[in-house]
Amino acid sequence: MQLEFRLTASRPGGRTARTAEAVTAALTAELLEVGYAGTSIDRIARRAGVAKTTVYRRWGTVGQLVVDVFAGIAGQQVPVPDTGSLEGDLRELARSTITMLREPESRAVFDIVVGEAIHDPAARAALDTFFAARISNAAVMVERAVARGEAPAETDPAEVIRQVGSTWYARMYITGEPITLADADRAAAVTALATRAGLLT
């Protein structure tokens, strides 16, 4: 699964859109090259070929710029797998998510927004919107499982999707362990088992 990094402030066509695209590209390049601590509005503006006053006026800080990029990600639709079984669907979803989170650009943006969300309401809102959209989008997998008789009728789709993702987010932001496709497969198997047992209602 690939995420398209873009700014929510961009408009179709014109100078504003070109500026936003250049700033987004410069931001992601800077994050990969020097990290969050080394990234500055001045460096981004210089790399993007735009006036630093333009960037300062619209975003103010690197953190706000990253949050705006993340807000653009939150609205992107993600294909929902349909393998014919809940465990298969969860496995494909988990694998695509972990693959995305292992991409340096995606991981850099996620790490910053998670850190900023502790004290920044805009970052918290962007993160909440992102996860709400992902849960809503993937709920159909659980609804299909209920229709097939594979899960109890009272199963909570949101709880199933939260559960499958909890393993790798804990590794990323609590224990600091690497995440692998094996983690995706294990999370899918455990979540499917818990769902069938009626534990996620």
Side-chain angles (χ1 to χ4, degrees):
M1 177 173 62
Q2 291 258 332
L3 291 180
E4 179 188 347
F5 295 107
R6 61 174 181 263
L7 291 167
T8 56
S10 62
R11 300 171 184 168
R15 183 177 175 182
T16 301
R18 289 194 297 273
T19 297
E21 289 170 4
V23 169
T24 301
L27 169 66
T28 53
E30 285 292 317
L31 291 175
L32 290 174
E33 185 175 307
V34 299
Y36 186 46
T39 300
S40 67
I41 294 294
D42 287 7
R43 286 179 62 99
I44 292 168
R46 187 162 55 250
R47 190 164 201 147
V50 301
K52 64 181 180 181
T53 53
T54 299
V55 184
Y56 274 114
R57 185 169 58 248
R58 174 60 185 87
W59 293 284
T61 67
V62 175
Q64 286 303 309
L65 182 52
V66 174
V67 168
D68 204 10
V69 168
F70 190 81
I73 294 170
Q76 295 177 30
Q77 290 295 315
V78 178
V80 178
D82 187 1
T83 65
S85 75
L86 178 61
E87 183 172 340
D89 289 351
L90 291 173
R91 184 186 307 112
E92 291 302 310
L93 178 70
R95 280 177 161 255
S96 66
T97 302
I98 283 182
T99 297
M100 177 269 291
L101 289 170
R102 292 174 68 184
E103 294 173 358
E105 297 94 336
S106 299
R107 182 61 187 270
V109 171
F110 260 86
D111 287 354
I112 293 164
V113 175
V114 168
E116 290 288 305
I118 296 171
H119 56 80
D120 182 356
R124 180 71 262 171
L127 205 56
D128 290 347
T129 298
F130 175 85
F131 284 114
R134 291 300 180 268
I135 289 170
S136 176
N137 190 50
V140 67
M141 299 190 306
V142 182
E143 294 164 2
R144 290 194 302 244
V146 171
R148 288 192 298 262
E150 194 179 353
E154 61 272 23
T155 300
D156 182 351
E159 197 57 42
V160 174
I161 305 307
R162 290 190 198 100
Q163 182 66 36
V164 77
S166 62
T167 299
W168 60 79
Y169 287 115
R171 285 174 178 266
M172 288 168 61
Y173 297 119
I174 298 176
T175 64
E177 298 172 84
I179 52 174
T180 68
L181 294 182
D183 296 317
D185 296 347
R186 186 182 307 109
V190 170
T191 302
L193 181 62
T195 303
R196 291 193 295 267
L199 300 178
L200 301 176
T201 59

